[in-house]
Amino acid sequence: MSLLQEISKRKTFGIISHPDAGKTTLTEKLLLFGGAIQEAGAVKSNKIKKGATSDFMEIERQRGISVATSILAFEYKGKKINILDTPGHKDFAEDTYRTLTAVDSVIVVIDVAKGVEEQTEKLVEVCRMRKIPMLVFINKLDREGKDAFDLLDEVEQKLGLKVVPLSLPIGMGSDFQGIYNIWEKNIQLFLEEKKQKVGETIVINDINDSSVDETIGEKAAATLRDELELIESVYPEFDREQYLSGDQQPVFFGSALNNFGVRELLDAFVEIAPMPQPKESDLRLVKPEEKNFTGFVFKIHANMDPKHRDRLAFVKIVSGTFKRNENYLLVREGKKMKFSSPNAFFADKKEVVDESFPGDIVGLHDTGSFRIGDTLTAGEKLQFKGIPSFSPEHFRYINNDDPLKAKQLAKGIDQLMDEGVAQLFTLEMNGRKIIGTVGALQYEVIQYRLEHEYGAKCTYEPIGIHKACWIEADEKSDEFKEFARLKQRFMARDNHGQLVFLADSAFTIHMTQEKFPNVKLHFISEWNNAK
């Protein structure tokens, strides 16, 4: 098969939502319909002891939340689908932002009862900024929830999207009867007694046909006709070009837990979602169909298999063909590397692959060479742009709780920071280490993983820091020297040796900017530019 054919087969997307909207359950059901797994394990249900396929860290199973991005792939209707299931919990938002740099489109999951929630707004904003095509799935229709049209309005207003409904629920909660699929013009019935099975699908050639009344009852049929008329008059027709340019968002309704509306979503997705897209680098736009391989690391995960202390760097392939045992250039280090056992992910299994193509995600075994944002190429010295690191919200001193394990602690912290779990700042004045995180829950994860994966114990101590500001200034200037002298207690270096000012309040930042106009303070550090 030619490179172009391989590219046209691939669809790589992320699933984003607020915690508890049913994102991991939807991922499971997509795998189920794709034939990649035989039985779905509901994340929260104690009846099924299996646990969700995509949640592999012990702490995730205990809490029923996803804290790491999982990569899952399956074949469906001749297409290779790569799903990146992201953490919904806001404490792990940074992992999600980075994952969004590796997807070509996104499915946004919204809870029918709660509507649009805060975390969804932030993530959708990132997608809108990057013009990533979005598809909306309104979930949990078997529960009482908001009216379908109220929800569509809310999605438009709160998320700033232009929606086009491609399916419509018939009733809701206890009256829920099924879904009218506008995209395929059929009705799918919801059979309560077959909760884990999908009811039959009835093809409708004419919505005014009397068979519709017989199937769902006269009252529901009359409502459905009115609603379809309303949709035709209010919403535009679906336009794939507009969807691909990020200007229109199709909406599907369903219940992932009950396998309902998931196949419709998947069928439409396979047809309309974009192929792997070009990506901007510091030199030029890199296109998937180019002959030479390029890719970038958007995630690093240590110890995926507790029996082997392994680290996997997840690489999104941007162009060309990635081949096993070939030499590739790690641009930041300027050194050649080859990989004897690159992994691909198929449902919950990893397997060694000989070659991979644009849109695919490969896991490369890493001995500590990689950082998030690294670019790999066949030899060209270019860097991909746009993997940000945000200023953390929480800061704590980290202390060693077991003096005999100082080495393990240092190694554990280094590896977890390379993974992007949190950020490490080392004070210039006394070398004390401060850990900065987006959310407080990450401290628990770090403590848990240091102890269980590295055998090191740590404690934390509070510190009054408001924001970490990356400094851009002429370090030889008198103004900078004066700034550094006055603020020496708050000066630190990040993981990559960049100078950071740890400000104790918004007022301090404001005063500093007034007093030292040539010392620029940034709240985002582009990891790619890290020297």
Side-chain angles (χ1 to χ4, degrees):
M1 210 186 274
S2 73
L3 179 61
L4 272 173
Q5 286 172 305
E6 290 288 0
I7 294 169
S8 64
K9 266 183 70 175
R10 280 156 172 76
K11 311 269 180 182
T12 303
F13 70 101
I15 302 189
I16 60 173
S17 80
H18 198 81
D20 261 8
K23 185 163 44 68
T24 303
T25 311
L26 176 63
T27 309
E28 289 273 309
K29 295 309 165 81
L30 291 171
L31 289 175
L32 200 62
F33 278 103
I37 53 174
Q38 301 313 309
E39 150 200 33
V43 185
K44 290 271 167 36
S45 159
N46 293 326
K47 293 196 284 287
I48 307 171
K49 279 281 178 271
K50 196 170 159 291
T53 302
S54 61
D55 287 352
F56 58 71
M57 255 162 69
E58 188 55 38
I59 204 158
E60 302 188 4
R61 294 205 178 96
Q62 289 167 7
R63 290 187 172 244
I65 58 167
S66 300
V67 299
T69 305
S70 310
I71 286 107
L72 307 145
F74 62 93
E75 300 260 346
Y76 184 74
K77 293 196 167 174
K79 301 282 184 209
K80 165 124 192 276
I81 316 274
N82 296 308
I83 308 181
L84 281 69
D85 176 22
T86 60
H89 200 290
K90 72 174 189 300
D91 287 7
F92 302 94
E94 203 163 329
D95 197 22
T96 304
Y97 294 140
R98 288 197 291 264
T99 301
L100 289 177
T101 60
V103 300
D104 300 307
S105 66
V106 153
I107 293 180
V108 183
V109 184
I110 290 171
D111 183 319
V112 72
K114 294 176 185 155
V116 174
E117 296 172 273
E118 171 203 11
Q119 189 58 19
T120 318
E121 290 183 54
K122 284 187 185 159
L123 294 169
V124 166
E125 204 178 308
V126 175
C127 295
R128 277 205 354 247
M129 232 163 57
R130 299 211 162 116
K131 292 241 170 254
I132 300 173
M134 283 179 268
L135 224 142
V136 179
F137 182 69
I138 294 177
N139 194 16
K140 305 192 180 180
L141 279 198
D142 51 315
R143 299 188 184 176
E144 296 301 331
K146 301 183 179 186
D147 173 77
F149 287 94
D150 290 349
L151 269 168
L152 292 169
D153 283 351
E154 194 177 314
V155 169
E156 287 211 317
Q157 281 157 14
K158 277 197 179 175
L159 300 178
L161 303 182
K162 290 198 178 110
V163 301
V164 183
L166 290 187
S167 73
L168 197 63
I170 303 167
M172 190 166 300
S174 54
D175 304 329
F176 179 57
Q177 294 206 52
I179 284 170
Y180 180 72
N181 185 342
I182 300 169
W183 176 253
E184 291 174 3
K185 301 228 177 328
N186 61 35
I187 286 178
Q188 193 192 2
L189 292 179
F190 177 66
L191 307 173
E192 184 70 41
E193 68 277 6
K194 293 186 179 170
K195 270 223 160 150
Q196 296 299 321
K197 300 274 185 296
V198 180
E200 67 216 85
T201 301
I202 297 161
V203 178
I204 306 285
N205 296 318
D206 178 7
I207 190 66
N208 294 311
D209 199 307
S210 59
S211 64
V212 178
D213 301 68
E214 287 159 27
T215 308
I216 59 175
E218 282 176 26
K219 190 174 161 210
T223 309
L224 178 63
R225 290 182 186 114
D226 291 348
E227 288 181 345
L228 287 171
E229 223 170 275
L230 187 60
I231 283 177
E232 269 176 38
S233 59
V234 173
Y235 294 100
E237 274 200 26
F238 174 67
D239 177 331
R240 183 164 184 247
E241 286 313 305
Q242 284 203 307
Y243 155 70
L244 291 176
S245 62
D247 296 323
Q248 195 189 69
Q249 289 76 28
V251 179
F252 288 85
F253 289 84
S255 161
L257 189 65
N258 298 321
N259 295 343
F260 209 79
V262 178
R263 190 191 59 78
E264 286 72 12
L265 173 75
L266 189 55
D267 285 350
F269 175 83
V270 163
E271 217 168 303
I272 66 175
M275 297 188 322
Q277 297 296 296
K279 191 166 173 66
E280 199 59 68
S281 75
D282 57 353
L283 299 183
R284 59 188 182 81
L285 186 71
V286 179
K287 297 190 169 142
E289 60 274 15
E290 291 177 22
K291 190 167 95 317
N292 289 336
F293 159 75
T294 62
F296 65 95
V297 177
F298 67 94
K299 178 180 172 58
I300 292 171
H301 206 302
N303 310 325
M304 284 182 78
D305 179 352
K307 292 195 270 305
H308 304 281
R309 291 266 172 261
D310 64 340
R311 266 166 60 115
L312 269 189
F314 292 95
V315 174
K316 160 82 186 274
I317 297 172
V318 180
S319 70
T321 308
F322 174 89
K323 293 194 169 123
R324 180 177 164 191
N325 285 326
E326 289 254 322
N327 274 314
Y328 293 118
L329 176 70
L330 173 57
V331 178
R332 177 176 52 83
E333 296 267 325
K335 69 174 183 187
K336 289 275 175 99
M337 303 175 82
K338 68 170 167 185
F339 306 95
S340 57
S341 55
N343 286 142
F345 304 89
F346 189 77
D348 56 343
K349 295 180 279 294
K350 289 191 308 209
E351 46 194 52
V352 173
V353 282
D354 289 322
E355 49 181 24
S356 297
F357 302 94
D360 284 341
I361 311 289
V362 242
L364 303 180
H365 289 280
D366 172 28
T367 51
S369 311
F370 289 121
R371 284 184 193 162
I372 285 175
D374 272 343
T375 301
L376 277 168
T377 71
E380 193 179 353
K381 290 185 173 154
L382 57 80
Q383 278 278 13
F384 286 113
K385 300 201 293 201
I387 295 202
S389 167
F390 300 87
S391 169
E393 306 284 317
H394 303 262
F395 298 85
R396 293 182 195 172
Y397 283 122
I398 181 163
N399 300 322
N400 184 2
D401 211 24
D402 181 353
L404 297 174
K405 296 281 173 74
K407 221 164 152 188
Q408 286 92 323
L409 182 73
K411 184 184 175 190
I413 292 173
D414 276 355
Q415 294 204 346
L416 292 178
M417 297 310 124
D418 282 350
E419 268 186 54
V421 172
Q423 293 174 57
L424 183 70
F425 302 101
T426 307
L427 287 175
E428 290 273 80
M429 204 170 71
N430 56 13
R432 280 199 78 177
K433 295 194 180 322
I434 292 167
I435 291 212
T437 67
V438 175
L441 185 60
Q442 275 154 305
Y443 288 109
E444 262 185 68
V445 172
I446 291 167
Q447 211 165 17
Y448 180 89
R449 290 188 59 189
L450 282 172
E451 188 174 340
H452 289 81
E453 293 170 21
Y454 300 94
K457 287 196 166 108
C458 72
T459 54
Y460 300 114
E461 208 179 301
I463 176 174
I465 297 173
H466 167 65
K467 271 241 181 326
C469 315
W470 281 270
I471 297 166
E472 184 190 341
D474 173 5
E475 297 195 16
K476 294 189 176 70
S477 69
D478 291 340
E479 185 181 331
F480 174 77
K481 286 176 182 162
E482 178 61 8
F483 161 76
R485 188 184 67 78
L486 282 174
K487 305 289 183 190
Q488 59 179 354
R489 285 182 41 231
F490 305 100
M491 301 295 267
R493 297 265 171 194
D494 71 3
N495 263 24
H496 308 316
Q498 288 175 295
L499 203 53
V500 180
F501 169 50
L502 302 173
D504 58 359
S505 69
F507 177 71
T508 303
I509 294 173
H510 178 69
M511 292 304 291
T512 305
Q513 283 172 324
E514 276 198 357
K515 195 170 174 188
F516 303 104
N518 295 318
V519 176
K520 293 196 170 60
L521 302 177
H522 299 281
F523 302 130
I524 293 179
S525 108
E526 284 282 332
W527 283 29
N528 299 357
N529 303 338
K531 301 290 174 279

